Amino acid sequence: MTDATAPEAPLLRIDTLTKTFGGFVALDNINVEIRKGERFGLIGPNGSGKTTLVNCISGALRPNRGAVLFAGEDITPLPPNLRSHRGIARSFQIPRPFRSMTVLENLMVALDFAAHGHLFETEQHRREAAMVILNRIGLAAKAFTPTTTLTQVELRKMELARAMATGPKLLISDEAMAGLSASEVDEVLDLLMSLCGEDIAIIMIEHIMQAVMRFSERVMCLDAGKIIAIGAPGEVMSNPRVQEAYLGT
Ligand code: ADP
Ligand code: MG
């Protein structure tokens, strides 16, 4: 096949990345690329380095060696807020809304943070932008509800809405489904999959294997800071090294 267009740079490239804490090697020479709009599952037993990798991508931690490239540019020296402005968003395990506000007000704060006050000419514009996101996330009906009365699944959705306010190209979800029922997990998965359809790549860290299998185009498994398997979900799950890593915990 002939294709005149040059292959696009990957959205995210982790290049020979190593992170240590004192003498402990939490991530050992990690190399991986994630493409635009990809649904990427990240698995591994507790303590295998998943959150540390997320922290190196978001900028919360600096690697000892190696680099993080985003849309072809080396972002390794950038602090988290500048990475967020470039399109890296992270949804936290523990939702932490401003509890005295409504869902809409929470989102308006997130929009302000994302735009540093430059983007919206009027309060009305900002309010409309917030409503667009709430519609996309399926929370519009709760716009005027105080966050204190939201259910667990609604809180997770609001956390996603706040991440969406930054206009991400890469969204990282670190165990955002813990404690949800099976049907709620499916609901959040459907939501995440619809976001990927809009060209947002998602790295999903999840212990619920059914969810990882259903969601991911590719899965990567870490064990003790090393990549032990990467590829199609079925292949990775049936890999003896992966099964061994999980049996060991
Ligand atoms: P996971 O998210 O896969 O459960 P983590 O990335 O949180 O694993 O942790 C990987 C390893 O690094 C663990 O052994 C953990 O104790 C260690 N670790 C993580 N953060 C720190 C830190 N700030 N200081 C020291 N050790 C840490
Ligand atoms: Mg973790």
Side-chain angles (χ1 to χ4, degrees), residues 184-205:
E184 289 170 338
V185 166
D186 278 341
E187 214 180 306
V188 176
L189 271 188
D190 287 340
L191 187 53
L192 289 175
M193 287 166 101
S194 74
L195 298 177
C196 279
E198 302 174 34
D199 250 5
I200 298 169
I202 298 186
I203 299 177
M204 188 179 80
I205 300 179

Side-chain angles (χ1 to χ4, degrees), residues 123-163:
E123 185 72 4
Q124 186 58 25
H125 283 122
R126 198 163 63 109
R127 190 172 289 270
E128 281 166 14
M131 280 309 292
V132 167
I133 295 171
L134 288 179
N135 266 308
R136 241 163 119 183
I137 301 291
L139 266 186
K142 299 284 173 176
F144 304 104
T145 304
T147 58
T148 44
T149 65
L150 294 182
T151 64
Q152 273 305 311
V153 69
E154 287 165 351
L155 276 170
R156 309 297 163 97
K157 287 183 184 177
M158 203 185 84
E159 192 54 25
L160 276 176
R162 294 206 304 171

Side-chain angles (χ1 to χ4, degrees), residues 46-47 49-52 93 174-175 205 207:
N46 280 328
K50 302 180 298 295
T51 298
T52 303
Q93 188 168 5
D174 192 350
E175 295 183 24
I205 300 179
H207 280 304

Side-chain angles (χ1 to χ4, degrees), residues 19-229:
K19 178 66 192 174
T20 64
F21 296 109
F24 177 77
V25 183
L27 291 172
D28 187 2
N29 193 31
I30 301 296
N31 287 286
V32 64
E33 291 183 353
I34 292 172
R35 64 171 172 75
K36 250 172 112 173
E38 183 165 13
R39 302 193 305 271
F40 190 86
L42 176 54
I43 64 169
N46 280 328
S48 56
K50 302 180 298 295
T51 298
T52 303
L53 184 58
V54 169
N55 283 331
C56 289
I57 296 168
S58 72
L61 287 174
R62 296 283 170 85
N64 300 72
R65 280 192 300 281
V68 179
L69 284 88
F70 191 68
E73 286 181 57
D74 187 357
I75 60 165
T76 321
L78 297 186
N81 62 320
L82 294 185
R83 296 188 196 203
S84 157
H85 292 150
R86 284 183 185 226
I88 298 178
R90 171 176 192 179
S91 176
F92 286 92
Q93 188 168 5
I94 301 149
R96 31 188 183 185
F98 298 107
R99 300 199 66 87
S100 60
M101 297 182 186
T102 65
V103 169
L104 183 66
E105 286 163 348
N106 258 280
L107 208 51
M108 287 167 73
V109 171
L111 280 168
D112 262 353
F113 171 76
H116 6 220
H118 293 313
L119 195 62
F120 300 102
E121 280 171 32
T122 67
E123 185 72 4
Q124 186 58 25
H125 283 122
R126 198 163 63 109
R127 190 172 289 270
E128 281 166 14
M131 280 309 292
V132 167
I133 295 171
L134 288 179
N135 266 308
R136 241 163 119 183
I137 301 291
L139 266 186
K142 299 284 173 176
F144 304 104
T145 304
T147 58
T148 44
T149 65
L150 294 182
T151 64
Q152 273 305 311
V153 69
E154 287 165 351
L155 276 170
R156 309 297 163 97
K157 287 183 184 177
M158 203 185 84
E159 192 54 25
L160 276 176
R162 294 206 304 171
M164 288 301 294
T166 64
K169 299 187 188 89
L170 173 65
L171 180 62
I172 306 171
S173 166
D174 192 350
E175 295 183 24
M177 302 190 208
L180 298 183
S181 73
S183 67
E184 289 170 338
V185 166
D186 278 341
E187 214 180 306
V188 176
L189 271 188
D190 287 340
L191 187 53
L192 289 175
M193 287 166 101
S194 74
L195 298 177
C196 279
E198 302 174 34
D199 250 5
I200 298 169
I202 298 186
I203 299 177
M204 188 179 80
I205 300 179
E206 228 9 276
H207 280 304
I208 308 160
M209 285 306 150
Q210 297 289 349
V212 177
M213 292 289 281
R214 207 191 125 203
F215 175 80
S216 311
E217 293 168 292
R218 276 195 304 157
V219 172
M220 177 167 102
C221 182
L222 290 176
D223 186 31
K226 289 190 166 77
I227 299 172
I228 59 167

Side-chain angles (χ1 to χ4, degrees), residues 43 45 209 213 219-223 226-248:
I43 64 169
M209 285 306 150
M213 292 289 281
V219 172
M220 177 167 102
C221 182
L222 290 176
D223 186 31
K226 289 190 166 77
I227 299 172
I228 59 167
I230 183 166
E235 260 167 48
V236 170
M237 299 300 180
S238 59
N239 183 313
R241 286 187 71 188
V242 173
Q243 295 189 348
E244 213 174 290
Y246 274 94
L247 284 176

